[in-house]
Amino acid sequence: MATGLKRYEFSERLADILGESRRDLRFRVTMLVADGLVAPGPRGRGSPPATPHYAAKLLLGSMAAPQQSYTVEAIRCYERLRPTARTADPAAPRITLGPRPLSRHASPPPTLPLLSGHRTFGEILARLLELATMPETRQGLARELFGIWVSRSYPVSAVQLGAWSEGQRNIITQGYEPAGGERPPVWLDPERDGNPDPGLYHTLFLPAAKLVEIGKLTSLPDQARPPMINLGPKMARISKLADLVRQTRFRGRWEQLLAALASVQAWSDQVDTRASKLVEVRDFGSNPGQLRMLTYVPDRLPAAAPLVVLLHGCTQSGVSFDKGTGWSTLADRHGFALLLPEQHWTNNPLRCFNWFRPADTRRDEGEALSIKQMIDRILEDHGLDRRQVYVTGLSSGGAMTSVMLATYPDLFAGGAVLAGVPYRTADNMQEAFESIFQGRSRTPREWGNLVRGASPHRGPWPKVSVWHGDADSAVKPLNADELVKQWTDVHGVAASPPVERTVDGHLCRVWQGADGEPLVESYTIGGMSHGAPLSTGDRPDQCGTAAPFFNDVGISSAFHIAGFWGLLERESDASVAAATATADRARPTVIDLSRDYLSRDSGGDRPDHGQPEGIYARGGHASDQTAGSAARRPESGGTDAGSESVARGVPPGILVEPSGPEREETGPEPSDRASGPTGGGDVPLGIPLGINVHGIVRKSLAAAGLIQDAAPAAGESRAGDMPFGIDIPGIIGTSLEAAGRLRGSATGPDSAGSTKEAAQATADSDWEGEGWELLTDDSGGPRLFGQVSSGRTCETGKQVRSASRKIVLGPSPELSYVRRLNLDAAVNDYTSASFSVLVDGTPVDEASAVGMEHVEVEWLQRSDIDLSRFAERTVTLTFEVAASSNVCSEVSAKAWVDRIRIKSVSSVC
């Protein structure tokens, strides 16, 4: 029941709390109504009640807009601000070099579920006011919230919480800034006669006590659906949820599951802070379940493509679920679209889909209807095939998959349930605990009747794939057998014996129809705990990222599910070349360091190609040893066909070498290296087929006694020792250059003439991404150059460009490289530019500038970066530049990267 103030009373009390004019607030309310931000209503006693969402808009307009006339513009701009990385540091200009130190004894960062799941500043502000409205959460909010602040000088804002760690209370700041491509508000936009001078405006801070006081004046509308459990900020102490279990026999297992979910949430939150390929879609319907719609549509999607709906598990997000399972990788390869409904923390304290609430599990109600509305929207927007709609999910998402298959069987052609439960196994929370920890057994007909009673549909029915680990302690494996009972009965094959086979070492049972078509299949993954089965790597049957609840057990559930649905029979045009390259690299990416194919001397020194060295490949795969045995040797002046095997055996662009007691680097530092393109007698990279045309012609002429066998010094003319004074090697080399078969002399990072060539070289190399180019260094070898900017054309927000490639690491790997950086963020206190080196998305080396400029004029050597936590794994190495501006002033990041080396510090046999 509404107990707060009416709108007209609320605006006056808000003015008193903020110290503003009541007349000013009344005028702002009029602007909100006139521009459609809030619904109109009568004044006086008939005025509608002030809700938390109404209060959030008026509060934001009052704090952010420097003038009344900018109120609506300010609300629309600041409501959309997106979260940045959380920090315990004050927001002050700074330069940070090197990765954050990893300490085995450091306590984990405090979990802050209060901030999780809210993707915009408008959402979190409304949520805070909701918590202040309810007496049961108000005290906890006042204890944990420090305050919020909004800057009028540039569109940034923040929520600050007090988090206890190691006996002291620290202020954790969650910042918010514009998304990429957003224009600044009108008063900061020079193209709309704005004045971006930060000196004219200031920052406003609202302490927690005042926000709670404002929230107490509001009321939730009577028709609003309250959160399942109004724990509010108490969610930060996840152990408090242990009291939800009333059955004492399940208490220990529930507490174990909560501890596991805390690690899942920590990983998911980390993934969510990084740039995502998913796109949010709003206004897809009435959305009674209050879910969020995320989509992924590959480039050059075929006409009438299939659709796969992905439902995440508890404490996960749509982004992290895709990251873990790798479904977007399959979508790129085989040409289908993805829909990822996402739960809000306000609907469930663990962000689980509410598969046990009847209001969310009935056709055309609650969360089930929200997902149906999302499907209708994406099918219409992209012209997808309505006959090829599929759904899959993990854990609570798997249980919700059962709900969708049962309530909308006419919509889906197939489904897959991973570590889930049957439809209608529970109708309340306590039954849900009993189902997941103990299991509920029914006859096939009883289970089937629940599905048949969920909709008027009478067939045909979607085909169903069931996956479960036999060591799952979170969801009892009995549930997989009950799921099979349910869907074999629906398909009328419950009495039929299954066809059993072994797939990648795991048992698979298949129930077929009268025509032999597989209708239901069940995979039992031996020894696997709770989660989705993965096989990570570069092969076509591999995808995903190992993480909590994403288990690398050597079989890819996503790949086999897609095959069961028939999605692997088509291959998108965009993926044909990539799939071919992946197949070529599949076996050779395991680098065998027992053969040093590119070595020029017994000491194992790297080729000397100038300063700084280019990026070279060393090593080969065991299967290439025969072909590579005749590769270039110290006594050989060129290469033969064996070098082609070497090029395939190790992805070009990475120097990989063993470094034990018997093989230590003894070469000089970069400043001591020869500067010529063929220093040390090596053949420079970048020549056709790896053949040194100049060297071969010169040696042939020397053998004929026409010239002396000596290379000219740098800058010295070649013609003096040539017959008749003619530089024959130079003429041949120049002719090949003109024909496009030989790269010219050195081109620096800023060479304008190298742009087109570098772009093509990047496309032809194993590096993938955008915003980076493969230039040519002084030795003729490749050099990476990346750049990005924000704010240059008033497109603000964080912009990221990256280049990535796969590589297999040894037992004790280390990374070294050289770089030059130009990070220009000297615009205001909140603009930033950064450079990062990441392995599987985890930063291993970083440099960032906030409100300042950082320029590395000289090449900087970064050596012995420990990668042992990624040892003996196929990983993705990424170089990334990022820039973020909040006004119409350019912020940029540029990076030149050379001499990338991966070495193993253990001995190699």
Side-chain angles (χ1 to χ4, degrees):
M1 180 177 178
T3 58
L5 300 180
K6 303 294 185 180
R7 284 186 188 173
Y8 79 98
E9 298 173 307
F10 175 80
S11 62
E12 295 183 353
R13 292 289 300 276
L14 179 62
D16 296 340
I17 294 173
L18 298 179
E20 301 286 347
S21 163
R22 292 187 175 186
R23 182 178 179 181
D24 177 85
L25 266 293
R26 285 196 295 268
F27 184 80
R28 294 180 190 269
V29 171
T30 301
M31 297 189 68
L32 264 63
V33 174
D35 281 85
L37 291 184
V38 297
R43 297 185 180 181
R45 294 185 177 276
S47 175
T51 66
H53 284 76
Y54 171 84
K57 292 182 183 296
L58 187 55
L59 175 61
L60 192 52
S62 303
M63 294 182 66
Q67 298 177 18
Q68 292 176 345
S69 59
Y70 297 142
T71 299
V72 173
E73 173 83 9
I75 294 172
R76 287 175 172 161
C77 173
Y78 283 72
E79 271 189 334
R80 296 194 300 264
L81 298 183
R82 312 286 290 185
T84 61
R86 297 172 192 165
T87 176
D89 300 327
R94 59 194 179 275
I95 300 291
T96 305
L97 299 178
R100 287 183 288 268
L102 294 175
S103 173
R104 296 181 180 272
H105 306 288
S107 60
T111 57
L112 302 173
L114 176 63
L115 299 180
S116 300
H118 302 283
R119 299 311 181 101
T120 66
F121 184 61
E123 288 180 4
I124 186 60
L125 183 57
R127 176 58 176 158
L128 295 176
L129 289 169
E130 285 180 355
L131 295 173
T133 300
M134 299 179 288
E136 61 268 34
T137 58
R138 189 177 298 148
Q139 183 179 359
L141 176 65
R143 181 176 60 251
E144 301 199 20
L145 178 67
F146 183 73
I148 65 172
W149 58 257
V150 171
S151 172
R152 294 177 174 178
S153 304
Y154 13 77
V156 295
S157 60
V159 175
Q160 294 183 310
L161 299 178
W164 286 95
S165 177
E166 298 182 347
Q168 63 180 6
R169 189 172 190 245
N170 299 314
I171 301 301
I172 305 298
T173 299
Q174 172 65 74
Y176 295 82
E177 63 182 22
E182 293 276 350
R183 295 191 68 86
V186 62
W187 69 89
L188 298 175
D189 191 342
E191 295 186 9
R192 294 185 286 175
D193 297 326
N195 186 350
D197 184 358
L200 298 180
Y201 309 109
H202 55 281
T203 298
L204 283 77
F205 178 76
L206 185 71
K210 286 194 173 184
L211 186 139
V212 171
E213 186 178 355
I214 294 170
K216 290 167 64 176
L217 305 177
T218 67
S219 58
L220 292 170
D222 294 337
Q223 68 271 22
R225 186 175 88 168
M228 186 187 72
I229 303 168
N230 292 327
L231 294 178
K234 294 180 182 178
M235 291 188 297
R237 301 181 182 88
I238 201 168
S239 61
K240 294 287 186 181
L241 298 179
D243 296 332
L244 297 179
V245 180
R246 296 174 186 168
Q247 303 99 319
T248 56
R249 66 184 185 276
F250 298 145
R251 182 65 177 254
R253 296 178 65 180
W254 176 235
E255 290 176 346
Q256 292 177 3
L257 178 57
L258 288 175
L261 288 173
S263 64
V264 175
Q265 178 189 336
W267 180 80
S268 180
D269 286 348
Q270 181 183 12
V271 172
D272 288 344
T273 61
R274 306 205 64 80
S276 169
K277 64 178 73 172
L278 305 187
V279 175
E280 182 174 5
V281 177
R282 300 178 183 270
D283 302 325
F284 51 84
S286 60
N287 190 19
Q290 301 177 18
L291 303 180
R292 186 167 178 247
M293 178 179 177
L294 301 174
T295 65
Y296 177 67
V297 180
D299 295 335
R300 297 181 294 278
L301 187 70
L307 170 66
V308 176
V309 182
L310 306 177
L311 301 175
H312 64 77
C314 296
T315 71
Q316 296 172 345
S317 66
V319 173
S320 64
F321 186 69
D322 175 59
K323 175 75 171 177
T325 58
W327 270 101
S328 60
T329 301
L330 295 180
D332 286 334
R333 291 174 183 169
H334 302 286
F336 53 84
L338 300 179
L339 167 65
L340 299 96
E342 186 177 270
Q343 182 64 280
H344 277 290
W345 293 98
T346 52
N347 295 339
N348 186 292
L350 288 174
R351 211 185 198 177
C352 310
F353 287 103
N354 290 310
W355 54 272
F356 49 85
R357 285 172 47 106
D360 288 306
T361 61
R362 290 191 290 258
R363 184 180 174 98
D364 296 337
E365 292 187 29
E367 293 176 5
L369 178 55
S370 290
I371 297 172
K372 166 65 163 52
Q373 291 173 342
M374 297 180 196
I375 295 172
D376 290 339
R377 172 67 187 272
I378 191 173
L379 289 175
E380 180 180 355
D381 286 352
H382 300 282
L384 306 178
D385 189 351
R386 292 182 174 272
R387 299 168 301 176
Q388 295 190 79
V389 180
Y390 306 90
V391 60
T392 181
L394 168 66
S395 192
S396 73
M400 200 65 193
T401 296
S402 295
V403 171
M404 297 307 298
L405 291 172
T407 54
Y408 296 100
D410 51 327
L411 180 62
F412 297 102
V417 180
L418 284 70
V421 296
Y423 174 64
R424 290 286 305 278
T425 184
D427 287 332
N428 58 59
M429 185 182 297
Q430 300 310 314
E431 289 183 359
F433 288 131
E434 181 180 349
S435 296
I436 64 175
F437 292 139
Q438 176 177 297
R440 298 169 67 90
S441 182
R442 291 187 171 105
T443 66
R445 179 50 57 94
E446 289 174 334
W447 282 123
N449 286 339
L450 292 174
V451 173
R452 285 183 286 268
S455 75
H457 185 70
R458 290 298 174 262
W461 301 94
K463 56 170 54 180
V464 177
S465 180
V466 179
W467 294 69
H468 218 112
D470 64 5
D472 191 337
S473 60
V475 178
K476 195 174 182 67
L478 172 67
N479 285 285
D481 297 330
E482 301 303 304
L483 266 165
V484 169
K485 287 183 185 179
Q486 188 167 61
W487 285 100
T488 53
D489 181 79
V490 169
H491 280 285
V493 294
S496 304
V499 176
E500 296 189 358
R501 58 195 175 99
T502 300
V503 180
D504 293 335
H506 301 282
L507 174 64
C508 175
R509 297 176 296 160
V510 181
W511 286 261
Q512 300 175 338
D515 58 355
E517 179 188 4
L519 299 176
V520 179
E521 68 174 8
S522 176
Y523 280 80
T524 301
I525 309 304
M528 189 184 79
S529 59
H530 190 66
L534 305 180
S535 177
T536 59
D538 289 336
R539 296 199 315 264
D541 64 337
Q542 295 178 318
C543 59
T545 302
F549 285 6
F550 297 105
N551 306 316
D552 192 347
V553 292
I555 182 172
S556 171
S557 55
F559 177 83
H560 288 284
I561 290 168
F564 179 63
W565 292 338
L567 299 183
L568 304 183
E569 298 173 2
R570 60 190 297 172
E571 197 161 4
S572 66
D573 296 337
S575 67
V576 173
T580 303
T582 301
D584 290 341
R585 295 196 305 264
R587 288 174 50 232
T589 45
V590 182
I591 301 170
D592 181 0
L593 302 181
S594 61
R595 298 292 297 265
D596 190 1
Y597 295 117
L598 300 187
S599 177
R600 293 288 295 168
D601 56 73
S602 59
D605 290 340
R606 295 170 293 172
D608 191 351
H609 289 294
Q611 156 60 18
E613 277 192 332
I615 310 171
Y616 304 100
R618 176 174 293 187
H621 192 269
S623 62
D624 296 324
Q625 288 184 5
T626 302
S629 61
R632 187 156 47 88
R633 298 299 182 190
E635 66 274 7
S636 172
T639 62
D640 58 15
S643 62
E644 181 69 16
S645 296
V646 176
R648 291 194 305 267
V650 179
I654 301 287
L655 169 65
V656 183
E657 65 174 16
S659 177
E662 74 283 3
R663 184 180 294 276
E664 290 291 339
E665 180 183 358
T666 58
E669 289 302 306
S671 59
D672 298 324
R673 298 229 179 240
S675 59
T678 56
D682 285 319
V683 177
L685 297 182
I687 56 184
L689 305 179
I691 302 173
N692 185 352
V693 178
H694 294 276
I696 292 175
V697 174
R698 180 178 296 278
K699 288 181 179 295
S700 300
L701 293 174
L706 297 177
I707 65 169
Q708 295 181 353
D709 186 11
E716 183 178 315
S717 173
R718 305 169 185 240
D721 61 346
M722 294 295 173
F724 313 109
I726 301 174
D727 184 5
I728 298 175
I731 292 174
I732 296 176
T734 303
S735 301
L736 289 173
E737 291 172 15
R741 298 295 300 162
L742 177 65
R743 274 209 300 254
S745 58
T747 55
D750 301 312
S751 173
S754 66
T755 303
K756 183 176 181 180
E757 177 185 334
Q760 181 62 40
T762 305
D764 294 341
S765 72
D766 289 336
W767 292 99
E768 298 179 352
E770 61 174 328
W772 286 74
E773 300 175 355
L774 201 60
L775 305 180
T776 307
D777 64 14
D778 295 339
S779 68
R783 169 185 296 156
L784 284 173
F785 169 63
Q787 62 179 335
V788 67
S789 68
S790 174
R792 180 168 52 185
T793 57
C794 270
E795 292 186 354
T796 59
K798 187 173 184 179
Q799 303 289 337
V800 179
R801 300 291 184 269
S802 63
S804 302
R805 68 177 305 154
K806 295 283 189 180
I807 189 167
V808 176
L809 299 179
S812 300
E814 291 182 351
L815 167 68
S816 298
Y817 69 97
V818 297
R819 77 178 188 216
R820 282 177 50 210
L821 301 179
N822 188 334
L823 308 178
D824 187 0
V827 175
N828 58 58
D829 290 353
Y830 304 101
T831 51
S832 62
S834 64
F835 165 78
S836 303
V837 184
L838 307 102
V839 175
D840 278 353
T842 301
V844 297
D845 199 17
E846 295 177 287
S848 65
V850 177
M852 302 178 70
E853 183 180 14
H854 174 68
V855 179
E856 295 173 354
V857 180
E858 302 294 335
W859 289 95
L860 177 65
Q861 176 75 48
R862 302 293 292 167
S863 302
D864 304 327
I865 299 172
D866 183 18
L867 304 182
S868 57
R869 51 188 154 153
F870 310 102
E872 299 183 314
R873 283 169 44 186
T874 301
V875 299
T876 301
L877 175 66
T878 301
F879 291 95
E880 177 183 282
V881 286
S884 178
S885 178
N886 45 46
V887 292
C888 295
S889 297
E890 184 177 10
V891 173
S892 64
K894 298 179 182 179
W896 294 265
V897 180
D898 214 332
R899 288 184 56 198
I900 305 170
R901 285 182 48 219
I902 301 285
K903 69 176 182 179
S904 173
V905 297
S906 62
S907 59
V908 180
C909 300

